[in-house]
Amino acid sequence: MKVVVIGGTGLIGSKVVAGLGELGHEAVAAAPSTGVNTLTGEGLAEVLKGASVVVDVSNSPSFEDQAVMDFFRASTGNLLKAETEEGVAHHVALSVVGTERLLGSGYFRAKQAQEDLIKASGNPYSIVHATQFFEFAKGLADGVTQGDTVHLPDARIQPIVSDDVAAAVVRAALGDPVGGVAEVAGPEAFRLEEFIRMGLSAQDDPRKIVTDPQATYWGAELQDDTLLPGPDAQIAGTRFADWLAQQK
């Protein structure tokens, strides 16, 4: 089966391409560096010829509110139109657990707009919602650092390693379209403060970490369970502490 992976050269995309290839499928990495630009439509028709499935794990190069909205609207619109014209049978997109509860953030409003376009398209689809990646603990901390202090909301998070996210996306791509959302999360929930503390400590990062009632998550206010998956989520096996130990 031919599967085109939009964003196929990135962290998740490259793992999805490798995973599909190991299972004997023709996985094609599509990105601007390979001559495929979903924002302009360049190369889309050519790369989608003969494809059974399109996996979209792309992300906006800018997280500024208007830029990220423009990216997901244009990219997703162009992609869905090209899939319809080429007769692609299944659209798989990677999104984020809690997106619909995080609309105070411009980024998550854009992700919701992406999902809404997919649902309204009439194309057979599956949306994979993943929790925050282990790999992004430092980036999350960087976004809420003031001086030498990390200011975090008081909420829980159930992070997952990127390898397990990619495996879930591969499973979705090889399955039938679900016409809805499937969630995937790591095996353990942490307070945000604990998750970030573990991640920074493993990198000998000396920043102070505080729970701040005024802090937001990429601009969105959190409830205790905003970032947690529902009861039907697929639970991956890799524990955060084990992954951190492997990074040393």
Side-chain angles (χ1 to χ4, degrees), residues 1 4 10 19 27 51 60 62 67 104 110 119 124 153-155 182 190 197 206 223 235:
M1 186 163 68
V4 174
S60 173
S62 168
K119 293 172 183 176
D154 186 16
F190 304 92
R197 191 180 304 281
Q223 302 298 317
I235 301 301

Side-chain angles (χ1 to χ4, degrees), residues 53-107:
V53 181
V54 166
V55 172
D56 185 6
V57 293
S58 62
N59 212 344
S60 173
S62 168
F63 281 14
E64 186 275 324
D65 284 4
Q66 193 58 52
V68 73
M69 180 64 79
D70 291 346
F71 173 85
F72 280 116
R73 280 180 170 164
S75 176
T76 304
N78 287 337
L79 190 53
L80 292 167
K81 181 175 182 289
E83 288 173 26
T84 299
E85 292 171 352
E86 295 299 328
V88 175
H90 190 184
H91 179 96
V92 178
L94 178 62
S95 193
V96 185
V97 163
T99 289
E100 71 284 1
R101 301 187 293 270
L102 291 161
L103 301 183
S105 160
Y107 179 80

Side-chain angles (χ1 to χ4, degrees), residues 13-231:
S14 59
K15 295 176 188 292
V16 170
V17 168
L20 289 166
E22 288 168 4
L23 294 172
H25 300 281
E26 179 190 355
V28 180
S33 62
T34 69
V36 179
N37 189 325
T38 54
L39 270 181
T40 64
E42 177 191 358
L44 269 182
E46 294 79 6
V47 79
L48 294 186
K49 288 191 184 304
S52 299
V53 181
V54 166
V55 172
D56 185 6
V57 293
S58 62
N59 212 344
S60 173
S62 168
F63 281 14
E64 186 275 324
D65 284 4
Q66 193 58 52
V68 73
M69 180 64 79
D70 291 346
F71 173 85
F72 280 116
R73 280 180 170 164
S75 176
T76 304
N78 287 337
L79 190 53
L80 292 167
K81 181 175 182 289
E83 288 173 26
T84 299
E85 292 171 352
E86 295 299 328
V88 175
H90 190 184
H91 179 96
V92 178
L94 178 62
S95 193
V96 185
V97 163
T99 289
E100 71 284 1
R101 301 187 293 270
L102 291 161
L103 301 183
S105 160
Y107 179 80
F108 290 104
R109 287 195 297 273
K111 289 298 288 182
Q112 187 63 58
Q114 176 192 26
E115 293 187 29
D116 291 344
L117 285 169
I118 293 166
K119 293 172 183 176
S121 68
N123 296 21
Y125 74 92
S126 302
I127 297 172
V128 177
H129 270 194
T131 52
Q132 181 63 271
F133 302 170
F134 292 173
E135 289 90 342
F136 293 166
K138 182 180 182 300
L140 177 55
D142 291 347
V144 290
T145 294
Q146 300 172 23
D148 61 355
T149 303
V150 181
H151 293 256
L152 294 167
D154 186 16
R156 290 181 293 160
I157 193 167
Q158 196 165 327
I160 184 171
V161 72
S162 61
D163 288 348
D164 290 342
V165 175
V169 172
V170 168
R171 289 194 298 271
L174 300 182
D176 293 329
V178 300
V181 173
E183 294 185 326
V184 61
E188 302 165 293
F190 304 92
R191 306 301 315 172
L192 261 172
E193 181 180 347
E194 181 185 10
F195 170 56
I196 298 301
R197 191 180 304 281
M198 290 173 66
L200 295 187
S201 176
Q203 299 182 47
D204 298 320
D205 190 317
R207 278 178 285 180
K208 180 182 177 183
I209 300 169
V210 298
T211 295
D212 180 348
Q214 304 302 315
T216 63
Y217 187 83
W218 303 118
E221 294 183 3
L222 297 185
Q223 302 298 317
D224 184 64
D225 61 354
T226 301
L227 303 178
L228 297 183

